[in-house]
Amino acid sequence: MFNTIEKPLIMGILNVTPDSFSDGGRHYSLDNALEQCRKMLAEGADIIDIGGESTRPGSDPVSAAQQIERVVPVIEAIRKHLASDSLISIDTTQSSVAEAALSVGADMINDISAGEDDAMIFDLAAKRQVPIILMHKQGTPKTMQDKPHYQDVVGEVLNHLMQRTNQAIEQGVDRSNIAIDPGIGFGKRKQDNLDLLAHLDRFVESGYPILLGTSRKRFMGSILDVAEPTELITATAVTTALGVMAGVKLFRVHDIKENKQAVDVAWAIKQRRLSIKP
């Protein structure tokens, strides 16, 4: 799937958790989750990314059983009541959660641990022949912002992701079903996030489609002296536009309308630039 993406896709975030950093509890009930999903699809989301475990800095892990209890009814309801052809991603590091989600209609896996938390998730992706997104993080969500450190953040993150993609391929995942995510905000300092964003082209050069997840992230708030995540919509859209110009193919965001506008305008500019002969 990933190797057929031309124009970048928007992945809408649907957290069915009580404690996510930006929208915790807001879509926790089934009705609210469905309504938010309906809104995101109407605004142009290409993929809905559903997660039952908060991975905000300082968060505690959630059992696989509890994740399944949270996400499966939502996926079933989306398939029953909304467009049947909508793409659904399951945001989990646990193979049992991913398997349960795929069994009721999810189409792909978004694993922030890149298979390190549960190596069987690669076996599952291979067996089901589904796309999987592999993200870099340093440490665990509970501790990842406790003094993260890098000598060369771009090189270290890219090398780690290449190791994980190689492992996925060794376990049978088709290369065309793999995308990578540098993990903005996951065990990164402000300067690390900025370095990664300034060198997105390095990740694009890997040949793997890139997912960028900057939505409402705290490092932008520190630049702007803004504490409320919902006030970072414009800042997020700026990073989305820059990502399009760098060659990023997937954008995981809370605010669909604004980021779709950023994608559409940046894409039109990029296509125009490519059409003009030097």
Side-chain angles (χ1 to χ4, degrees), residues 16-45:
V16 284
T17 64
D19 57 347
S20 293
F21 84 97
S22 178
D23 56 357
R26 190 170 300 172
H27 315 307
Y28 196 38
S29 74
L30 181 58
D31 288 343
N32 288 347
L34 269 181
E35 183 56 35
Q36 177 63 8
C37 182
R38 185 177 288 109
K39 177 176 182 289
M40 290 193 291
L41 291 172
E43 291 182 351

Side-chain angles (χ1 to χ4, degrees), residues 78-139:
I78 291 172
R79 285 295 180 231
K80 181 178 180 180
H81 299 292
L82 301 181
S84 60
D85 59 349
S86 303
L87 290 174
I88 297 175
S89 168
I90 177 63
D91 179 5
T92 186
T93 66
Q94 300 300 312
S95 61
S96 59
V97 179
E99 185 166 25
L102 293 171
S103 295
V104 294
D107 303 286
M108 66 183 71
I109 301 167
N110 182 14
D111 180 1
I112 68 162
S113 80
E116 290 193 315
D117 285 2
D118 183 352
M120 291 180 65
I121 207 163
F122 289 160
D123 298 330
L124 174 66
K127 178 183 177 182
R128 300 292 290 265
Q129 297 183 329
V130 295
I132 184 167
I133 301 164
L134 309 180
M135 193 196 81
H136 174 276
K137 63 179 177 62
Q138 187 177 94

Side-chain angles (χ1 to χ4, degrees), residues 214-225 232 235-236 239:
T214 61
S215 190
R216 304 181 182 180
K217 290 289 175 72
R218 187 178 302 172
F219 82 96
M220 295 185 295
S222 69
I223 295 171
L224 303 171
D225 195 24
L232 295 170
T236 301
T239 65

Side-chain angles (χ1 to χ4, degrees), residues 38-196:
R38 185 177 288 109
K39 177 176 182 289
M40 290 193 291
L41 291 172
E43 291 182 351
D46 301 291
I47 305 167
I48 302 297
D49 191 43
I50 301 173
E53 176 183 42
S54 173
T55 52
R56 77 189 192 287
S59 61
D60 292 311
V62 173
S63 71
Q66 190 168 14
Q67 289 184 55
I68 291 170
E69 184 179 335
R70 291 173 176 178
V71 303
V72 163
V74 175
I75 297 170
E76 289 177 327
I78 291 172
R79 285 295 180 231
K80 181 178 180 180
H81 299 292
L82 301 181
S84 60
D85 59 349
S86 303
L87 290 174
I88 297 175
S89 168
I90 177 63
D91 179 5
T92 186
T93 66
Q94 300 300 312
S95 61
S96 59
V97 179
E99 185 166 25
L102 293 171
S103 295
V104 294
D107 303 286
M108 66 183 71
I109 301 167
N110 182 14
D111 180 1
I112 68 162
S113 80
E116 290 193 315
D117 285 2
D118 183 352
M120 291 180 65
I121 207 163
F122 289 160
D123 298 330
L124 174 66
K127 178 183 177 182
R128 300 292 290 265
Q129 297 183 329
V130 295
I132 184 167
I133 301 164
L134 309 180
M135 193 196 81
H136 174 276
K137 63 179 177 62
Q138 187 177 94
T140 66
K142 183 72 174 177
T143 63
M144 64 188 178
Q145 291 307 117
D146 295 348
K147 299 180 180 179
H149 179 72
Y150 301 86
Q151 294 292 332
D152 169 17
V153 66
V154 176
E156 290 173 44
V157 170
L158 186 54
N159 287 341
H160 177 80
L161 287 172
M162 292 303 95
Q163 291 171 10
R164 300 313 300 159
T165 59
N166 289 339
Q167 182 61 43
I169 292 169
E170 284 183 16
Q171 289 183 228
V173 179
D174 192 298
R175 192 185 192 283
S176 66
N177 273 337
I178 300 174
I180 59 174
D181 176 354
I184 301 295
F186 283 80
K188 316 287 194 307
R189 300 163 296 180
K190 179 173 75 173
Q191 62 264 41
D192 298 325
N193 293 316
L194 292 173
D195 284 344
L196 291 168

